[in-house]
Amino acid sequence: MLSRAFAEEFANDWLSAWNDRDIDRILSHYADDVVFHSPRIALVMGNDATTVRGKKALQTYWTEALSRARSLFFAIDNVLVGSDAVTILYTNHREEKVAETFIFNEDSEVGVSIATYAPA
């Protein structure tokens, strides 16, 4: 069972890393075999993919995404805690509401992440 303290520390560091545009710090939270799901992958990568597999592929995707979002900024709205997952509800720089769920492995690294969006 994940603690509230763990969830809040993770959420705050994850958000800070994104707002600082620090790709290495962002990736430090993820397992090497991470699986990331998002409808934004296709838009950024110019294909029909909705899943990225592996930390190296995630780095490639997020490096491209960051290069396109010069005004990127996230603000936390809420942090939800589950048995092995944390969901961060946040508002992004496009004023969209986002829910991102992070499922942690036994090493406390993100093994699966799923991003979902509501229109601004």
Side-chain angles (χ1 to χ4, degrees):
M1 180 75 172
L2 300 178
S3 70
R4 161 78 39 203
F6 173 87
E8 289 180 1
E9 181 179 332
F10 169 79
N12 287 325
D13 190 61
W14 180 86
L15 181 102
S16 174
W18 274 105
N19 288 343
D20 290 345
R21 305 175 68 83
D22 186 339
I23 192 73
D24 291 329
R25 203 162 105 226
I26 296 165
L27 288 166
S28 73
H29 297 102
Y30 295 83
D32 288 339
D33 61 348
V34 64
V35 177
F36 176 67
H37 303 274
S38 171
R40 294 286 161 86
I41 296 167
L43 295 171
V44 171
M45 302 308 285
N47 55 34
D48 61 354
T50 58
T51 302
V52 172
R53 296 180 187 280
K55 192 185 275 190
K56 189 67 176 166
L58 196 56
Q59 179 179 17
T60 299
Y61 165 63
W62 280 338
T63 298
E64 179 63 25
L66 281 170
S67 75
R68 294 176 180 211
R70 303 242 183 255
S71 62
L72 181 134
F73 186 83
F74 298 159
I76 292 178
D77 299 321
N78 206 343
V79 177
L80 310 176
V81 185
S83 60
D84 63 347
V86 172
T87 298
I88 303 174
L89 305 174
Y90 62 94
T91 303
N92 67 18
H93 56 290
R94 291 185 288 274
E95 297 297 317
E96 295 170 310
K97 296 295 184 181
V98 185
E100 193 155 346
T101 298
F102 306 87
I103 302 171
F104 291 85
N105 64 20
E106 61 279 351
D107 296 323
S108 298
E109 298 174 313
V110 176
V112 177
S113 180
I114 303 166
T116 57
Y117 300 82

